[in-house]
């Protein structure tokens, strides 16, 4: 399990929400991670956590929510960090999740032949927990807020304009923006809207209402 992207030297914390281009961001910023002298103690903490079966609570995992960092880090240090993340249109994100799981974890798709089958099962509150389903139905806003529901990150970029917003994040950090690789570029597929019926579009609208309201997404946004 990899750790959250935190740089004490360059004073930034990247909150990696799944399926929002975060892998490309991490790869692009890897050079700054290696230039940070704190990488060694961070690596040691990561190894100790792994060796203990992650029972020591001594590291922030890859997809940690910002509130975990707020709780674990000294207040002054946390406040000094430039905290940023990327979000994605929830309807598009679910189509991306469908293709990803079908490609990478096909055994989880047994009996789920269509996107509609997949989405209804995924959003069924009675089904058993499945990590690869559940991680992509968490509200994106939950990664970015405190216990009062207030945003506590400094910048929220959009997957839909990933390169432009990544460059802006780097400008605010005060570093040169590296080239942004498309590490996990999706295979060609139809416009996400073509996957939905009125019923399934409404399922997503209800489940992700907070994200849609907070980030201003619409079903017909491209």
């Amino acid at each position: 399990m990899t750790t959250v992207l935190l740089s004490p030297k360059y004073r930034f914390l990247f909150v990696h929400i799944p399926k929002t281009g975060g892998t490309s961001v991490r790869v692009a910023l890897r050079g700054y991670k290696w230039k940070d002298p704190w990488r060694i103690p961070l690596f040691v903490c990561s190894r100790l956590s792994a060796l203990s079966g992650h029972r020591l609570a001594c590291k922030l995992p890859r997809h940690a929510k910002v509130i975990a960092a707020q709780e674990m880090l000294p207040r002054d240090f946390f406040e000094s960090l430039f905290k940023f993340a990327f979000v994605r249109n929830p309807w598009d994100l679910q189509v991306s999740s469908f293709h990803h799981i079908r490609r990478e974890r096909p055994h989880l798709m047994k009996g789920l032949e269509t996107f509609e089958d997949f989405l209804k099962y995924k959003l069924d509150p009675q089904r058993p927990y499945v990590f690869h389903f559940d991680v992509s139905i968490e509200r994106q806003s939950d990664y970015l807020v405190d216990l009062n529901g207030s945003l506590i990150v400094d910048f929220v970029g959009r997957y839909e304009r990933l390169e432009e917003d990544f460059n802006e994040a780097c400008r605010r950090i005060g570093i040169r923006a590296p080239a942004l690789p498309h590490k996990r570029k999706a295979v060609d597929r139809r416009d996400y809207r073509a996957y939905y019926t009125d019923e399934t579009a409404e399922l997503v609208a209800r489940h992700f209402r907070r994200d849609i309201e907070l980030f201003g997404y619409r079903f017909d946004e491209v």
Side-chain angles (χ1 to χ4, degrees):
M1 178 184 285
T2 54
T3 61
V4 73
L5 184 55
L6 165 68
S7 175
K9 177 180 179 179
Y10 296 102
R11 285 290 197 271
F12 69 79
L13 172 68
F14 173 55
V15 181
H16 185 173
I17 302 171
K19 307 302 296 174
T20 62
T23 299
S24 292
V25 172
R26 293 177 67 95
V27 171
L29 293 174
R30 186 163 50 193
Y32 290 102
K33 177 181 177 181
W34 283 102
K35 292 176 185 177
D36 194 325
W38 286 95
R39 74 184 186 280
I40 296 173
L42 285 168
F43 174 76
V44 171
C45 288
S46 178
R47 292 308 303 156
L48 286 172
S49 180
L51 289 171
S52 72
H54 306 293
R55 295 181 178 89
L56 297 181
C58 60
K59 79 165 189 177
L60 290 164
R62 178 187 184 98
H63 295 298
K65 296 176 172 64
V66 71
I67 194 170
Q70 185 186 49
E71 292 291 329
M72 290 182 67
L73 298 174
R75 176 176 292 184
D76 289 349
F77 178 63
F78 177 80
E79 294 297 335
S80 75
L81 296 171
F82 177 75
K83 299 167 285 291
F84 70 106
F86 289 87
V87 295
R88 186 173 185 173
N89 183 305
W91 291 278
D92 183 36
L93 191 152
Q94 293 310 309
V95 173
S96 176
S97 173
F98 171 67
H99 285 287
H100 175 76
I101 295 174
R102 190 164 64 173
R103 182 177 66 251
E104 303 292 336
R105 300 286 191 277
H107 62 283
L108 298 177
M109 300 293 286
K110 186 176 181 180
L112 305 175
E113 300 298 328
T114 67
F115 176 70
E116 182 173 357
D117 294 337
F118 166 78
L119 189 64
K120 287 182 174 180
Y121 180 74
K122 194 179 186 185
L123 294 177
D124 181 357
Q126 303 303 317
R127 68 164 173 78
Y129 175 82
V130 179
F131 172 80
H132 293 284
F133 288 168
D134 287 80
V135 72
S136 58
I137 61 169
E138 289 190 72
R139 279 74 171 180
Q140 296 173 73
S141 53
D142 287 349
Y143 283 84
L144 308 178
V145 299
D146 62 14
L147 292 176
N148 296 316
S150 301
L151 280 175
I152 53 172
V153 295
D154 302 296
F155 179 72
V156 180
R158 288 184 178 238
Y159 175 85
E160 295 78 19
R161 53 175 188 251
L162 184 61
E163 186 171 358
E164 177 185 345
D165 285 353
F166 174 70
N167 290 341
E168 174 61 17
C170 290
R171 186 190 68 78
R172 296 198 193 185
I173 293 168
I175 58 175
R176 182 185 61 81
L180 189 65
H182 296 288
K183 190 68 176 177
R184 292 186 176 178
K185 191 172 183 179
V187 296
D188 291 338
R189 57 176 171 82
R190 294 175 289 159
D191 184 313
Y192 70 84
R193 294 171 295 184
Y195 289 77
Y196 285 92
T197 63
D198 290 346
E199 179 187 6
T200 54
E202 181 58 26
L203 283 176
V204 171
R206 286 201 303 268
H207 185 80
F208 294 100
R209 178 167 285 112
R210 169 65 172 158
D211 291 350
I212 292 163
E213 292 174 350
L214 186 61
F215 305 124
Y217 279 114
R218 305 186 309 274
F219 175 68
D220 60 357
E221 183 170 337
V222 293

